[in-house]
Amino acid sequence: MSGAAPRHDVFQAIADPTRRKLLGLLSEKEMPVKDITGHFSMTRPAVSKHLRILEEAGLVKERKVGRETRYRLDAGPLQDLKDWLSYFDRFWENKLSMLKHYVEEGSMDRETPEGQDPALSLVSRKSRPNQEEQG
Amino acid sequence: MSGAAPRHDVFQAIADPTRRKLLGLLSEKEMPVKDITGHFSMTRPAVSKHLRILEEAGLVKERKVGRETRYRLDAGPLQDLKDWLSYFDRFWENKLSMLKHYVEEGSMDRETPEGQDPALSLVSRKSRPNQEEQG
DNA sequence: ATTATATGAAACCAAACGGTTTCATGTCAA
DNA sequence: TTGACATGAAACCGTTTGGTTTCATATAAT
């Protein structure tokens, strides 16, 4: 039997804030587990497990040096994320490109009730004041 | 009291393949839950829960129309993802920009053992043959 | 050889996840 | 008004997650 299929993909790997912090850390320089653990408030085995998950996702490479294992970033798989994200580019790039798609594709033609323009809700929330919780 | 703090962020929201598919679907057009469910092999309440999570992350907006609730994409929060990703741009954009950072920042100067060039491991795996599982 | 260090692996645990079935509620249709 | 439809909410369940403590193993240092 060949190696077990990796149980974690990039999307799952970056879902955890600890792991995102790990990637940031390892992007600066290769580090052994002991040093890495110093940057977190959890035990060493916990960090080790996160590293394992990152490695399954291909986001991190390890190298044995003497008795320590040094980890470093491999940003390659982040391309998968970028690729996925790029699909949504047209929706928030700017309102104009949104409108363009809106008109050209002709989805939901004329159904929009006034004061409820979907286009408005599709531009980045970054440009709007508050993150309302509607019910 | 104001609404409870959302328990799910964008990173968690997109970690699940079902939810990613949902976003793709809802990007094409606004849809009621019943129609959405037709695209999946799970029960309607399951889909509903995924929609709830997406909504907590702000990735989806809902609108009541008669007895149905129509959901549509709000790509805005994906910007958070883009922002986070952009930090890693220099690592895989291409080997040249990598080298540029390499030289300018001067991180790990001259330490690289031959046959172990870090730059090589930092370019996208997409351009390399296989996703090896090393131990 | 002996001891200390660095790490992974295993066993365990509470909480969260992803799904189900069942029930309650609101709206449209006869 | 009665009934069908669309949906959310609740209770439940098995699996995964994120953490712990403990143990095993390999390398370095004395």
Side-chain angles (χ1 to χ4, degrees):
Chain A
M1 321 88 217
S2 48
R7 286 170 304 287
H8 296 95
D9 60 21
V10 185
F11 291 91
Q12 295 170 256
I14 67 156
D16 185 276
T18 298
R19 289 195 287 268
R20 289 198 297 277
K21 186 176 167 187
L22 273 170
L23 292 181
L25 225 111
L26 297 177
S27 75
E28 300 185 11
K29 64 172 195 286
E30 187 183 65
M31 285 174 75
V33 180
K34 188 195 56 165
D35 290 8
I36 298 173
T37 304
H39 291 77
F40 297 85
S41 54
M42 62 187 74
T43 61
R44 197 252 314 150
V47 171
S48 212
K49 281 211 253 178
H50 281 299
L51 287 169
R52 167 77 38 185
I53 289 172
L54 289 175
E55 198 225 334
E56 280 178 15
L59 285 166
V60 129
K61 294 299 178 202
E62 51 181 79
R63 177 172 64 117
K64 295 300 254 352
V65 174
R67 54 182 160 185
E68 58 188 25
T69 308
R70 300 196 187 155
Y71 288 85
R72 66 178 184 281
L73 172 72
D74 182 346
L78 289 181
Q79 184 65 47
D80 295 350
L81 247 177
K82 274 232 163 178
D83 290 346
W84 180 80
L85 261 181
S86 72
Y87 171 79
F88 299 96
D89 273 5
R90 63 168 185 264
F91 295 119
W92 47 264
E93 203 166 0
N94 57 54
K95 196 170 177 178
L96 257 61
S97 74
M98 169 56 213
L99 247 339
K100 186 159 165 288
H101 167 251
Y102 201 22
V103 169
E104 284 176 355
E105 306 291 318
S107 39
M108 43 184 158
D109 45 328
R110 215 55 39 199
E111 244 202 67
T112 308
E114 48 271 77
Q116 273 279 13
D117 182 12
L120 281 176
S121 67
L122 285 167
V123 295
S124 171
R125 92 163 356 76
K126 280 289 171 54
S127 59
R128 284 186 286 147
N130 58 344
Q131 193 147 333
E132 79 284 1
E133 65 253 21
Q134 36 67 286
Chain B
M1 311 338 177
S2 49
R7 287 171 303 287
H8 295 96
D9 60 20
V10 185
F11 292 92
Q12 296 169 254
I14 67 156
D16 185 277
T18 298
R19 288 195 289 267
R20 289 198 296 277
K21 187 177 168 187
L22 273 170
L23 292 181
L25 239 149
L26 297 176
S27 76
E28 299 185 11
K29 64 170 194 286
E30 188 183 62
M31 286 173 77
V33 180
K34 189 195 54 163
D35 290 7
I36 298 173
T37 303
H39 290 77
F40 296 85
S41 53
M42 64 187 74
T43 60
R44 198 253 313 150
V47 171
S48 212
K49 281 210 253 178
H50 281 300
L51 286 169
R52 168 78 38 189
I53 289 173
L54 289 174
E55 198 226 333
E56 280 178 15
L59 284 166
V60 131
K61 294 297 180 205
E62 50 181 81
R63 178 172 64 116
K64 295 300 253 351
V65 174
R67 55 183 159 183
E68 56 187 27
T69 308
R70 301 195 187 156
Y71 288 85
R72 66 179 182 281
L73 173 71
D74 182 347
L78 289 183
Q79 185 65 47
D80 295 350
L81 246 178
K82 273 230 164 181
D83 291 347
W84 180 79
L85 261 181
S86 71
Y87 172 78
F88 298 96
D89 273 4
R90 63 169 186 266
F91 296 119
W92 48 264
E93 203 167 359
N94 56 54
K95 198 170 175 178
L96 257 61
S97 76
M98 169 57 214
L99 250 337
K100 185 160 167 286
H101 166 253
Y102 202 22
V103 170
E104 283 174 356
E105 306 290 319
S107 42
M108 42 183 160
D109 45 329
R110 216 57 39 196
E111 238 201 71
T112 307
E114 49 271 77
Q116 272 279 13
D117 182 12
L120 279 176
S121 68
L122 284 166
V123 295
S124 169
R125 92 163 356 74
K126 279 289 172 55
S127 59
R128 284 186 288 146
N130 58 342
Q131 194 146 332
E132 78 285 0
E133 67 252 19
Q134 36 73 281

